[in-house]
Amino acid sequence: MSEPVLTVQDLRVRMDTARGSAEIVNGLSYSVAPGETVAVVGESGSGKSVSVMALLGLLPKQARVSGTAVFRGRDLLRMRERELRAVRGDGVGMVFQDPMTSLNPVLTIGRQLTEGLLAHRRVSGKKEARERAAQLLADVGLPDPRGALDRFPHELSGGMRQRVVIAIALSGDPALLIADEATTALDVTVQAQILDLVARLQDEHDTGVVWITHDLGVVAGIADRVLVMYGGRCVEDGTVDDVFERPAHPYTQGLLGSLPQLHDDEPGGRRRELVAIGGTPPPPTDLPPGCVFWPRCPVRGHERCATEQPPLTAVGTAAGDGSGGGDVPHRAATFYDAARDAGEVGA
């Protein structure tokens, strides 16, 4: 087993707000192996994007970040700004949510692509940088890559801009790619092309990928492992097969139960009703003392959940060994056997 590209342990992010201290991320831990895709899923406001932006020092100054995030033997959270600049775009590439706002509207595509190549000394001069930039655009499937170098972001479609952002993220041959809602607002055809592109480039370069999304359909097609976040905490993790086929936490069960299925009939020909999770997520300034999902939980299988934070523990699988069917454990933050009661919440 190769060494992980990234190992995150007990990541915590807090911010001071007008309403008090907000716990945005609380005790997140995971690792990413070379060539592996780890998906982080959850509702808006669950802390997904903040958790990855904290790794690269991209949060506001009032954010207080603790824990460890070891990349290539060094802790990203202990690096100074100058050291982080050497990592951003070189060792770690990041695809942000909206390509129109992450690209500079007054600079050409070529200028924005060559900037990182020259800054990280990946090329010997501007001419070589331009050739490399054209090759990168060709690699991501952009039509007329040389002509695109002299165009501005507003002259490209949404799918083309997303390809440019991915090309920029991959320009330094990163060992780790972070994709934050990389296919949001794209039509399904372009989305499929982007997913195929990332998978192909990942296979060629053995790049580890952290994919941030709320789209469970995307997760099912690309991920090796899944982390489910709610209220800034990981409530379940495991292989994509374990989490999707045997969800153990009521929140995960609710998310999967809300997805429409192609064959969604119950016995007798009745249509299965989609499951809705009642209530709203708690504000990060006023999290409940126990399980963060307790106020909305339809099961409430153990009273301790109301007052104590349940730790991530191994849960039963089809084989009953709690191992997730392989080397990756299937864990859920619960005091009871939620897998046994999956039928109660429509999983």
Side-chain angles (χ1 to χ4, degrees):
M1 187 78 176
S2 55
E3 287 293 321
V5 176
L6 174 71
T7 301
V8 177
Q9 290 289 337
D10 197 29
L11 177 65
R12 298 175 184 270
V13 179
R14 296 191 179 189
M15 294 187 188
D16 292 327
T17 71
R19 296 184 178 183
S21 179
E23 297 182 8
I24 310 298
V25 181
N26 197 331
L28 185 64
S29 299
Y30 64 93
S31 62
V32 186
E36 182 183 36
T37 298
V38 176
V40 183
V41 304
E43 293 175 82
S44 296
S46 62
K48 306 185 302 297
S49 296
V50 171
S51 70
V52 292
M53 295 180 71
L55 304 181
L56 298 178
L58 299 177
L59 294 178
K61 291 183 178 180
Q62 65 265 32
R64 301 193 298 275
V65 182
S66 62
T68 60
V70 178
F71 173 73
R72 290 178 172 172
R74 301 182 64 194
D75 188 354
L76 294 173
L77 305 184
R78 301 293 180 270
M79 288 185 180
R80 297 180 179 179
E81 178 62 22
R82 184 175 182 180
E83 295 173 304
L84 278 174
R85 286 178 183 174
V87 172
R88 299 185 195 125
D90 192 17
V92 181
M94 185 160 182
V95 182
F96 294 93
Q97 289 191 28
D98 186 355
M100 195 59 195
T101 56
S102 57
L103 291 172
N104 192 322
V106 300
L107 298 180
T108 64
I109 299 301
R111 171 71 181 277
Q112 297 183 65
L113 257 173
T114 57
E115 184 178 41
L117 294 170
L118 292 168
H120 292 292
R121 299 181 180 179
R122 288 274 173 175
V123 291
S124 58
K126 292 183 178 180
K127 183 178 180 180
E128 186 180 346
R130 189 174 175 85
E131 290 296 322
R132 173 63 176 152
Q135 183 59 53
L136 283 166
L137 294 180
D139 288 343
V140 298
L142 201 71
D144 186 22
R146 292 188 180 277
L149 292 175
D150 297 318
R151 300 170 72 179
F152 290 88
H154 71 271
E155 298 180 274
L156 303 179
S157 68
M160 290 180 178
R161 288 195 294 266
Q162 193 67 291
R163 291 170 188 265
V164 171
V165 171
I166 292 174
I168 293 174
L170 295 172
S171 62
D173 296 324
L176 177 69
L177 177 66
I178 298 174
D180 186 4
E181 301 283 8
T183 56
T184 296
L186 299 179
D187 63 67
V188 292
T189 302
V190 176
Q191 183 185 78
Q193 293 172 350
I194 296 296
L195 294 177
D196 289 342
L197 166 66
V198 173
R200 175 172 58 83
L201 295 176
Q202 184 181 10
D203 289 340
E204 293 175 357
H205 300 284
D206 207 23
T207 306
V209 175
V210 177
W211 194 280
I212 308 295
T213 185
H214 62 270
D215 191 334
L216 295 178
V218 169
V219 172
I222 67 169
D224 299 301
R225 289 193 293 121
V226 182
L227 279 78
V228 182
M229 288 190 68
Y230 182 82
R233 299 170 186 165
C234 177
V235 296
E236 185 164 357
D237 65 8
T239 66
V240 67
D241 289 339
D242 273 337
V243 173
F244 273 64
E245 295 177 11
R246 294 174 289 276
H249 195 280
Y251 178 62
T252 311
Q253 295 167 5
L255 288 179
L256 295 173
S258 66
L259 293 177
Q261 305 293 326
L262 291 177
H263 304 287
D264 221 9
D265 293 335
E266 293 182 346
R270 294 176 301 171
R271 298 294 294 173
R272 183 179 73 85
E273 295 292 332
L274 294 179
V275 175
I277 302 176
T280 58
T285 54
D286 189 25
L287 295 176
C291 173
V292 284
F293 190 59
W294 172 257
R296 304 174 69 188
C297 183
V299 178
R300 297 195 175 188
H302 204 295
E303 290 300 323
R304 291 174 62 193
C305 296
T307 57
E308 300 179 40
Q309 293 183 19
L312 281 170
T313 55
V315 293
T317 67
D321 60 2
S323 67
D327 296 330
V328 179
H330 182 195
R331 304 181 302 168
T334 177
F335 287 123
Y336 69 103
D337 188 358
R340 179 191 60 198
D341 302 318
E344 297 186 23
V345 290

